[in-house]
Amino acid sequence: MSQNPTDTFSVTKAETSKIASVDFENLAFGNVFTDHMLYCDFTDGQWGTPVITPYAPMPMDPSSRVFHYGQAIFEGMKAYKDEQDAIWLFRPDQNLDRFNKSAVRLAMPEVPEHIFMEGLKQLINLDKEWVKKGKGNSLYLRPFMIATGHGVIASPSAQYRFMIIMSPAKSYYQGEVKVLIAEHYSRAANGGIGAAKAAGNYSAQFYPTRLANEQGYQQVIWTDDATHTKLEEAGTMNVFFKINDTLYTAPTSERILDGVTRKSILELVKRDNIKLEVRSVLVEELLTAANDGSLKEIFGAGTAAVINPIVGFAYQDTYYELPKQENPIALQIKDKLTNIQHKLAEDTFGWTVKI
C-alpha cells in the first residue's frame, strides 16, 4: 500500500475517561470495558475507513442478518504490560489467521491485516492506562464481526461490521472445576462449524452446560457427535490429559477449535521434552486410567484462563476424583507460558509482539 495504514483511521477521543471509577482489584471477567472501541464497515464489496470512537451503544436495524441467521464470529486475545511499561501482544498473527478462517466458513469477508493489526495497536495505545502491570493482569481484547445487512431472506449478508472492544482482566480463576462427560449432547459435528470461532458454537453449549451445573459440575467435556466415545474439548477450552508421564490431547479437526493456547502448549512441551501424544483419547481409556491410578491430571487450555486444572469428572453417574499432585504439570506449563506473556522469561519462540 502506498498509503500509511495509520493515516486511514478516523479517531475521536473520549472527552473524559471512566478509568478512575474502576476497581481493578475486583474485576469480574468481561464486564468492564475501556474508553474506546473500533469499528469498520464492509459495504459494496469493500472495507471502509476504520473508526475509533468512545465506547458506546450502537443502533441496529431489527432486520440485521446477525439477529436472524447468526453470522457472527469473534476472537479472544490479551495485551500485557511488562515491568518497563511496554505493552505486548501474544501471537496476534494466529488470531488474525483463525479469524479469517472463521469468516470464510461463515461466508463473511476476510478482514485485511492492516485493519486488524493496526486497529489493535491504535486502540491499545489510546487506552494504554487500562493495561496494568503484574502477573495475572491483562487487557482482554475482543475482535468480532457481525452481519449488518438488512432483510430476513435466508442468505449471507452483503454488509458487515468488524469491531474491537477491550476489557481489563485479572487472573481468571473459578475455583475447583469438576466436569461431566457428555453422553448425548455434542459441541460440534463433522462438516459443521466447530473449527470456527462462531458465536453459535457457544450458545449451543449453554443448555447442556446448565444441566451439568444443576448436577454440581462446572463444565462439560464434549465427546464426538457420532459415537460419543472420543474426548474432544472441555467447556470452551481445549482439553489435555496426563496419563502416567504422557500428555494427551485431541488433534484439531472440523469439530475442534485450533486454540492459540493449545498450540503454544504443544510447542512448550516439545521444547521441554515432555512426552506428548496428539490423538483421540477414548472415554474407556480415561475410565481405565482413573480406575488403575495412571490418570494424573486433566486441564483445559484457553485464552481467558490460560490453563484451568480439573479436579474430577463424572461419567454415567459415577464420579472420579483425580489424585492430588505435588507439582502438577498443568501449573508448570501455565507458569512457563504466562512468564513469556508477561516478559518475565525469554521468548525463544518469537511469540510476543510489542505495541
Side-chain angles (χ1 to χ4, degrees), residues 73-331:
I73 60 172
F74 69 93
E75 276 297 316
M77 310 168 63
K78 286 181 177 177
Y80 308 87
K81 183 176 283 185
D82 67 21
E83 292 305 309
Q84 288 72 46
D85 290 324
I87 299 174
W88 301 81
L89 294 176
F90 183 73
R91 308 192 75 176
D93 59 316
Q94 299 296 312
N95 293 101
L96 171 61
D97 180 64
R98 187 172 64 182
F99 189 87
N100 281 334
K101 286 179 179 176
S102 298
V104 169
R105 182 61 183 84
L106 271 76
M108 304 171 85
E110 295 181 60
V111 174
E113 181 178 357
H114 83 273
I115 293 177
F116 191 97
M117 294 298 192
E118 188 64 27
L120 284 169
K121 179 179 178 180
Q122 290 206 37
L123 198 57
I124 293 168
N125 276 329
L126 201 56
D127 285 341
K128 61 186 177 183
E129 297 305 317
W130 291 78
V131 194
K132 299 301 182 182
K133 287 191 290 191
K135 195 171 180 180
N137 294 325
S138 63
L139 185 64
Y140 183 78
L141 315 172
R142 172 54 64 91
F144 64 101
M145 179 164 50
I146 57 175
T148 54
H150 304 164
V152 295
I153 185 171
S155 65
S157 176
Q159 291 85 40
Y160 297 88
R161 174 164 285 192
F162 169 69
M163 299 190 70
I164 304 174
I165 56 178
M166 308 190 299
S167 177
K170 295 286 290 181
S171 183
Y172 190 88
Y173 179 69
Q174 296 178 317
E176 290 194 343
V177 174
K178 298 178 181 180
V179 298
L180 182 66
I181 294 179
E183 299 177 59
H184 172 71
Y185 294 102
S186 298
R187 176 188 173 275
N190 283 331
I193 58 172
K197 206 160 174 64
N201 287 342
Y202 296 81
S203 59
Q205 296 181 34
F206 294 159
Y207 176 68
T209 301
R210 186 174 72 186
L211 295 180
N213 295 161
E214 291 170 356
Q215 297 180 59
Y217 303 99
Q218 287 70 46
Q219 290 290 353
V220 174
I221 289 187
W222 306 104
T223 49
D224 68 290
D225 64 300
T227 67
H228 294 288
T229 60
K230 299 174 183 177
L231 300 161
E232 299 204 324
E233 292 197 5
T236 60
M237 299 181 288
N238 296 116
V239 65
F240 287 77
F241 307 92
K242 186 186 178 192
I243 300 175
N244 288 320
D245 61 350
T246 303
L247 273 182
Y248 297 86
T249 194
T252 55
S253 67
E254 289 182 309
R255 302 186 307 273
I256 297 177
L257 191 71
D258 188 11
V260 177
T261 304
R262 173 192 178 275
K263 65 177 61 178
S264 302
I265 290 171
L266 297 185
E267 293 187 49
L268 273 174
V269 300
K270 287 176 184 177
R271 182 197 69 181
D272 295 345
N273 295 314
I274 297 169
K275 290 183 180 180
L276 170 71
E277 288 191 28
V278 178
R279 66 166 177 82
S280 295
V281 177
L282 302 179
V283 174
E284 64 181 47
E285 285 185 83
L286 193 70
L287 299 180
T288 298
N291 285 320
D292 68 18
S294 59
L295 177 61
K296 306 302 182 184
E297 296 179 51
I298 305 173
F299 59 89
T303 298
V306 184
I307 287 177
N308 201 342
I310 292 167
V311 300
F313 70 92
Y315 181 69
Q316 293 185 343
D317 299 322
T318 300
Y319 178 70
Y320 301 83
E321 186 84 20
L322 271 66
K324 299 288 185 184
Q325 301 296 315
E326 194 169 306
N327 189 22
I329 193 71
L331 297 186

